[in-house]
Structure formats: structure tokens, C-alpha cells
């Protein structure tokens, strides 16, 4: 449905997005990840038609969106990170205002607002001032504004930023429900949201796409190490474990008369059977044996570790 082909965007001498290329299929919920300053927001603004690329093309269903920006924008709902609401309006007034901006009026506007309010659960605050509703309801109001014209594509930039854990869960459920019949591109720094809501991940670093795939695919392809923690009581524990085949690195420290050894195994080599056999043969008392599961946070760090965290435009 969405095809980004060699897209580049510059701000003066700064290359914010560098020849980005990816596709998003109809009905996918795609997580868009990257450090601050990596080019996420710039890319999302180009997808919505708010910014135009300096090079490359963005297509919806094969047609370049620059050929008819008005038509392309009508297919997209956008919730920016800033979520620009008007505090002096009632929630209902804000949604009526957004409907007018989208060219909806009369019965069409009422139907669109009604559907959006039902989908986002805004009924209880519909007649309240925006200034008096919680951050969670403010995000829901922004989402309602983004979907009231029934877009096929929904672009959400940090939709849970600043929310408490309970509000994050509610917005996560909302994103799942909204993605049931829409294509969703979701930018977030919260890895639990990615794993809970996204079919696929795009990771951007220094303006370029660093990884593209499902969570499982990216974790399976991860070039890293398996990490083990062994705490044991006995003779020559650290020396013996460090000599095991497949151990790439190790460290150790004394703990209450025992020794805790950290092992790193190259190529995800499985060490636990060998460790058990050694403990039995040498009469060690095992207090702990744990293999650390590679996390999405570790993968994100490895893919973007050369990208400094910066504030401002991303």
C-alpha cells in the first residue's frame, strides 16, 4: 500500500533522511523506531504529505503522492507527537472543527464524529473542555480527530508519550483496535508497545533504514552473543568455565564464599548442558544458572549505538 523509494530530506547541510526505502502492506501495524534525531518524525511528515522529499518518491498503491497531494492527504490520519489541541474548546467543538478542516459538514460530519467517538471511547468527555480532560483522553481526542474522515492509513507519532502505565495500556489497546481495519505506522520509544502491537518493525538510524522485519526475524538475525550467569561453590569455577568451547568472553566476582561468573558465547552457542556436566563431575554446588534472553532493547541499542541521542527535530 505504501512504498518509500530512495527518499532523502535535507535541512540545509543536515541530511535528516538518507535514501530511505521500505514498503508497508495494507492492514499492517508497523513500528517505526529510532533514537531522537534519527529521522522518524521527518519521515512520518513526508508520509502524510506535510513535507516533500528532496529526492525519491513516496507512493500509495503505486501512485506518487506528489501527483495529487490533496487526494493523498485525504487517505491519511495523522497524530503528531505534539498533539495540537485547543484548550479553550470543548472536545465536541474540537472534533467539529477538525471535520470542517477535512471538508466534512452536516450529516457526513456527524457520522464521522460519531464513529470516531465510539472507536476512541470519548463519550464521557465529549462535552467537556479540552483543558479539563486527562492526558489519556487528550490522546484519545487527537486520535479521534485523526480518524473521523475514515482514513485508510494512520500515522501515530509517540502516541503514549507522557502517559502513566495505566493510560499506556489503554492507548495500546486502542491502537490494536484501530489497526484491525487500517494500515498503521507507529513511532514509539516503548519497546513493550512494539512487541504488543506491531506486526513488523522498521528501525531508522542516522536517517537510513537500519533494519526491517518482524520482531522474531530481527531477533533471529541478531549478530550478538548469548549471555550466561553462573553462581557456584567449588574449586576453579571461573577458570574451568572460561575454558569451555564457545565462550567468547567472561568475567567473575566473589559472592559470599562462592563465585559468580558471567559468560558470553559467540553465535548463540548453548552452554547450559556443558555447565551442568562440569558441575556434576567436579562436585560444584550450583546456586544459579541463567541464560539471558536477548531483548528488543538490546537489539535497538546494537542497531543504533552509533547514533547520538539528540533533542529537537527527529
Amino acid at each position: 500500500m505504501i512504498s518509500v523509494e530512495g527518499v532523502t530530506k535535507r535541512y540545509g547541510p543536515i541530511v535528516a533522511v538518507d535514501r530511505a526505502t521500505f514498503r508497508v502492506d495494507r492492514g499492517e501495524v508497523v513500528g517505526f523506531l529510532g533514537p531522537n534525531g534519527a529521522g522518524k518524525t521527518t519521515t512520518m511528515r513526508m508520509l502524510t504529505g506535510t513535507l516533500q522529499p528532496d529526492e525519491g518518491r513516496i507512493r500509495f498503491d503505486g501512485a506518487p503522492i506528489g501527483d495529487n497531494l490533496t487526494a493523498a492527504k485525504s487517505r491519511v490520519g495523522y497524530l503528531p507527537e505534539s498533539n495540537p489541541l485547543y484548550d479553550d474548546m470543548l472536545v465536541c467543538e474540537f472534533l467539529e472543527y477538525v471535520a470542517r478542516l477535512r471538508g466534512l459538514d452536516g450529516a457526513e460530519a456527524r457520522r464521522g464524529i460519531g464513529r470516531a467517538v465510539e472507536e476512541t471511547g470519548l463519550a464521557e468527555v465529549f462535552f467537556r473542555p479540552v483543558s479539563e480532560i486527562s492526558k489519556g483522553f487528550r490522546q484519545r481526542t487527537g486520535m479521534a480527530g485523526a480518524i473521523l474522515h475514515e482514513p485508510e492509513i494512520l500515522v501515530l507519532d509517540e502516541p503514549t508519550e507522557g502517559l502513566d502505565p495505566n493510560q499506556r495500556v489503554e492507548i495500546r489497546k486502542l491502537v490494536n483496535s484501530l489497526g484491525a481495519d487500517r494500515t498503521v505506522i507507529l513511532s514509539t520509544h516503548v519497546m513493550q508497545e512494539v512487541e504488543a502491537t506491531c506486526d513488523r518493525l522498521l528501525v531508522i538510524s542516522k536517517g537510513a533504514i537500519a533494519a526491517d522485519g518482524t520482531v522474531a526475524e530481527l531477533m533471529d538475525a541478531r549478530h550478538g552473543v548469548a549471555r550466561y550467569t553462573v553462581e557456584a561453590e567449588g574449586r576453579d569455577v571461573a577458570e574451568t568455565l572460561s575454558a569451555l568451547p564457545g565462550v567468547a568472553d567472561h568475567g567473575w566476582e566473589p559472592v559470599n564464599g562462592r563465585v559468580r561468573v558471567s559468560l558470553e558465547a559467540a553465535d548463540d552457542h548453548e552452554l547450559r548442558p556443558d555447565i551442568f556436566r562440569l558441575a556434576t563431575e567436579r562436585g560444584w554446588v550450583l546456586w544459579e544458572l541463567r541464560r539471558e534472553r536477548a531483548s528488543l532493547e538490546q537489539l535497538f541499542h546494537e542497531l543504533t549505538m552509533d547514533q547520538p541521542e539528540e533533542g529537537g527535530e527527529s
Side-chain angles (χ1 to χ4, degrees):
M1 185 177 193
I2 301 170
S3 178
V4 176
E5 303 168 356
V7 164
T8 296
K9 183 64 181 179
R10 301 180 182 89
Y11 296 107
I14 299 172
V15 180
V17 178
D18 186 10
R19 292 169 292 180
T21 297
F22 60 88
R23 298 172 63 90
V24 179
D25 292 332
R26 190 177 303 276
E28 278 192 303
V29 178
V30 176
F32 196 37
L33 311 181
N36 291 335
K40 298 189 305 297
T41 295
T42 296
T43 302
M44 297 176 97
R45 288 176 178 170
M46 289 190 287
L47 288 171
T48 65
T50 306
L51 292 177
Q52 299 305 302
D54 296 319
E55 299 172 15
R57 286 185 175 182
I58 298 173
R59 301 176 186 266
F60 291 168
D61 292 328
I65 66 173
D67 290 354
N68 190 338
L69 270 178
T70 300
K73 288 180 178 181
S74 71
R75 300 179 65 181
V76 180
Y78 180 38
L79 177 65
E81 183 179 2
S82 58
N83 190 11
L85 304 178
Y86 294 96
D87 285 350
D88 56 345
M89 288 184 175
L90 304 179
V91 171
C92 59
E93 291 173 333
F94 173 76
L95 296 178
E96 289 166 358
Y97 173 65
V98 173
R100 289 197 299 274
L101 292 179
R102 286 292 184 179
L104 307 179
D105 55 20
E108 188 179 20
R110 289 192 295 273
R111 282 195 299 271
I113 293 171
R115 282 190 299 264
V117 168
E118 182 177 357
E119 282 196 76
T120 56
L122 280 177
E124 66 180 274
V125 299
F126 189 61
F127 295 107
R128 289 177 58 184
V130 170
S131 60
E132 295 180 6
I133 62 177
S134 69
K135 181 67 182 293
F137 275 121
R138 291 176 71 92
Q139 292 300 89
R140 288 173 178 270
T141 300
M143 286 194 186
I147 66 172
L148 60 80
H149 63 297
E150 296 189 86
E152 304 163 69
I153 302 165
L154 192 56
V155 178
L156 306 175
D157 195 355
E158 301 286 351
T160 63
E161 184 68 22
L163 300 184
D164 66 38
N166 290 333
Q167 291 170 331
R168 285 182 184 275
V169 170
E170 291 304 313
I171 296 299
R172 193 180 304 159
K173 290 178 181 176
L174 177 57
V175 171
N176 277 326
S177 67
L178 293 177
D181 54 4
R182 296 177 181 87
T183 300
V184 178
I185 298 176
L186 167 70
S187 169
T188 180
H189 285 105
V190 183
M191 298 302 164
Q192 297 95 320
E193 290 171 10
V194 172
E195 294 186 280
T197 61
C198 298
D199 304 315
R200 190 169 125 241
L201 303 184
L202 290 166
V203 181
I204 187 170
S205 180
K206 297 181 180 179
I209 302 300
D212 180 356
T214 66
V215 173
E217 288 169 347
L218 296 184
M219 296 303 291
D220 288 344
R222 174 177 174 263
H223 298 295
V225 296
R227 294 177 173 86
Y228 297 80
T229 298
V230 184
E231 188 174 321
E233 183 180 345
R235 294 183 57 187
D236 302 326
V237 173
E239 295 86 344
T240 305
L241 291 178
S242 65
L244 277 172
V247 172
D249 197 6
H250 77 283
W252 67 276
E253 61 178 343
V255 180
N256 298 325
R258 304 182 294 274
V259 63
R260 178 179 293 141
V261 183
S262 299
L263 302 173
E264 293 187 353
D267 301 322
D268 205 30
H269 188 81
E270 177 57 73
L271 296 179
R272 284 173 294 184
D274 294 334
I275 294 171
F276 273 117
R277 279 193 291 269
L278 279 175
T280 301
E281 292 170 2
R282 295 176 177 262
W284 296 341
V285 178
L286 273 180
W287 289 72
E288 180 182 5
L289 173 54
R290 171 167 47 89
R291 175 175 173 168
E292 296 180 9
R293 177 180 177 270
S295 69
L296 194 54
E297 286 86 352
Q298 290 171 333
L299 174 65
F300 177 82
H301 176 69
E302 289 172 9
L303 291 170
T304 63
M305 60 189 303
D306 294 329
Q307 168 76 45
E309 285 282 344
E310 299 175 357
E313 174 63 44
S314 61

